[in-house]
Amino acid sequence: MKIILLQDVKSLGKKGEIVEASDGYARNYILPKKLGVEANAQHRNDLKLQKANEEKVAKQQLEAAREFAKELETKEVVVKMKAGEGGRVFGSVSSKEIAQAAKVQCGMEIDKKKIQMQEPIKSFGIFEVTVKLHPKVSGKLKVKVQED
């Protein structure tokens, strides 16, 4: 019996796949637990429409991420830190502080988990920080660290 999976089934396949299952397994396990539906013409058409819609949404998200990356590269965020003797910084600038500064200064919502820094910023100056906006898109944000 051909089945369209509505959820991932460990030994059978992933969500949205059309798989072949034995009649007993399909009738007694998959269909009653709503893990899948029988692959008739209507359900196949629904699956095709759903995949087309998901593709369209993914394309829109990718375009939005590219636009945001372009906008991000024109911005500069200023973070103020306290300094000790010899102009050394107390502590370091974290991704949380950068995200808060971007929200306040530029009005941009950036998730702190998406800000990627190779190492913490522990000195004054201008630094470029990578922001992962989408699996295929990342942008650069300039962070200027000044003495408070």
Side-chain angles (χ1 to χ4, degrees):
M1 176 183 278
K2 288 206 180 258
I3 301 237
I4 298 174
L5 295 176
L6 300 176
Q7 296 177 15
D8 292 353
V9 178
K10 190 174 185 180
S11 61
L12 212 51
K14 302 245 182 231
K15 177 182 177 181
E17 290 182 350
I18 298 175
V19 294
E20 185 72 36
S22 66
D23 291 351
Y25 185 57
R27 283 195 199 107
N28 295 323
Y29 183 74
I30 295 173
L31 296 176
K33 293 197 176 212
K34 304 223 186 301
L35 299 175
V37 292
E38 193 173 342
N40 59 24
Q42 180 187 0
H43 290 135
R44 285 181 191 211
N45 191 32
D46 290 347
L47 178 65
K48 197 182 294 181
L49 291 172
Q50 185 179 12
K51 283 191 177 185
N53 188 36
E54 286 173 0
E55 248 179 56
K56 182 181 171 188
V57 168
K59 199 177 256 186
Q60 287 174 345
Q61 288 175 341
L62 180 63
E63 285 301 313
R66 285 186 179 146
E67 290 295 317
F68 194 71
K70 284 180 186 175
E71 185 181 336
L72 198 64
E73 290 180 11
T74 64
K75 304 289 182 179
E76 182 178 84
V77 175
V78 178
V79 178
K80 298 194 181 225
M81 297 284 296
K82 292 195 186 288
E85 276 185 40
R88 296 202 49 193
V89 177
F90 284 129
S92 64
V93 178
S94 67
S95 58
K96 181 179 178 183
E97 291 170 325
I98 295 171
Q100 286 175 341
K103 184 177 181 182
V104 171
Q105 294 171 17
C106 304
M108 300 175 122
E109 286 285 333
I110 301 174
D111 187 7
K112 68 178 182 179
K113 295 174 191 144
K114 294 186 179 192
I115 297 174
Q116 298 175 330
M117 299 189 301
Q118 285 77 19
E119 62 223 18
I121 299 172
K122 295 185 175 184
S123 60
F124 297 117
I126 298 174
F127 301 91
E128 256 190 15
V129 177
T130 305
V131 181
K132 188 91 169 157
L133 302 169
H134 188 273
K136 296 178 182 174
V137 179
S138 60
K140 301 269 187 204
L141 177 66
K142 285 186 183 174
V143 179
K144 187 175 185 181
V145 182
Q146 294 180 336
E147 190 173 339
D148 190 19

